[in-house]
Amino acid sequence: MNSTAHRPHFVTASPARRWVGVVVGLAALLNAAWAAEPAKTTAAPSSTAAVPLSSPIAGGGNGASGIPAGTGAGVHSPNSPFAPLPARVDVLAWSMLTAVKTKVEKNRVLPVFPSDIQALNKKTQRVQGFMMPLEPGEKQRHFLLASVPLTCSFCTPGGPESMVEVKTKTPVKYSLEAVVVEGEFAVLQDDPYGLYYRITDAVPVK
């Protein structure tokens, strides 16, 4: 089997279509993972309280932001059964990681990273997010970590700036809840699959 069969293909000549490959590839894997996950009961939010949104975007965000689905920093759906990421001071902030501009060069969309993000390259970092498996099975060595959870198996929550590719030292059990990993962080200037970030030799952290 081709070792790149499950790698996400983010870059196409048209930015609006960059996620077609990853949506199709993730759909079957996520359906299988969700089927294997034990059922969980989540209490319905109080009708008198506002449903909290996640905070991957500096200053917050909402579904009416006008940002097309599958692009940008990602927005936590108010209908999501999963809680937003908890505030932590020991992880990289998504508000920083998603502050990336782009440029078009030879029909490719490339990231333009500010200096504070470039300074993270090849250093040990921690990132928290929601798992998007890239391999079949309950235990994962290779997955994406996203700033917000998926709302369905055929949707992506945001653009490549809202995800980190993770390659672990040992398999990590798939979870629908947020996870934290630590490893060597890479800032990708021109990844052939359109990825912006990668963590290698990652280990789970409580």
Side-chain angles (χ1 to χ4, degrees):
M1 181 181 292
N2 190 329
S3 62
T4 63
H6 297 299
R7 291 293 298 273
H9 293 262
F10 294 155
V11 177
T12 65
S14 171
R17 298 177 57 197
R18 74 168 77 173
W19 293 106
V20 171
V22 69
V23 169
V24 173
L26 285 173
L29 294 173
L30 285 169
N31 279 332
W34 285 345
E37 181 75 4
K40 296 181 181 179
T41 302
T42 304
S46 169
S47 59
T48 60
V51 179
L53 302 182
S54 62
S55 55
I57 309 173
N62 56 59
S65 61
I67 300 174
T71 62
V75 177
H76 194 121
S77 169
N79 298 320
S80 174
F82 306 108
L85 294 174
R88 293 181 59 146
V89 298
D90 63 332
V91 298
L92 293 177
W94 284 107
S95 57
M96 176 177 69
L97 294 179
T98 55
V100 180
K101 296 182 179 180
T102 59
K103 64 180 178 180
V104 177
E105 195 172 280
K106 296 181 180 180
N107 291 328
R108 300 188 64 196
V109 179
L110 300 177
V112 179
F113 299 105
S115 59
D116 58 344
I117 293 180
Q118 294 184 39
L120 303 174
N121 192 44
K122 296 184 178 180
K123 295 179 181 178
T124 299
Q125 307 289 349
R126 288 184 179 183
V127 177
Q128 72 168 335
F130 298 91
M131 292 180 71
M132 298 172 63
L134 295 175
E135 300 172 334
E138 183 182 21
K139 298 292 185 71
Q140 297 285 313
R141 284 181 176 269
H142 184 202
F143 54 91
L144 298 178
L145 210 57
S147 62
V148 293
L150 297 180
T151 55
C152 74
S153 58
F154 295 93
C155 311
T156 53
E161 64 268 48
S162 71
M163 301 180 187
V164 175
E165 182 185 24
V166 179
K167 297 184 177 182
T168 66
K169 283 185 177 180
T170 58
V172 176
K173 184 178 180 180
Y174 176 73
S175 173
L176 294 174
E177 306 297 330
V179 299
V180 178
V181 296
E182 178 181 277
E184 183 175 301
F185 193 80
V187 178
L188 309 176
Q189 302 288 343
D190 187 10
D191 183 77
Y193 295 95
L195 294 160
Y196 288 6
Y197 307 113
R198 179 179 296 124
I199 285 185
T200 54
D201 291 331
V203 295
V205 177
K206 295 293 185 181

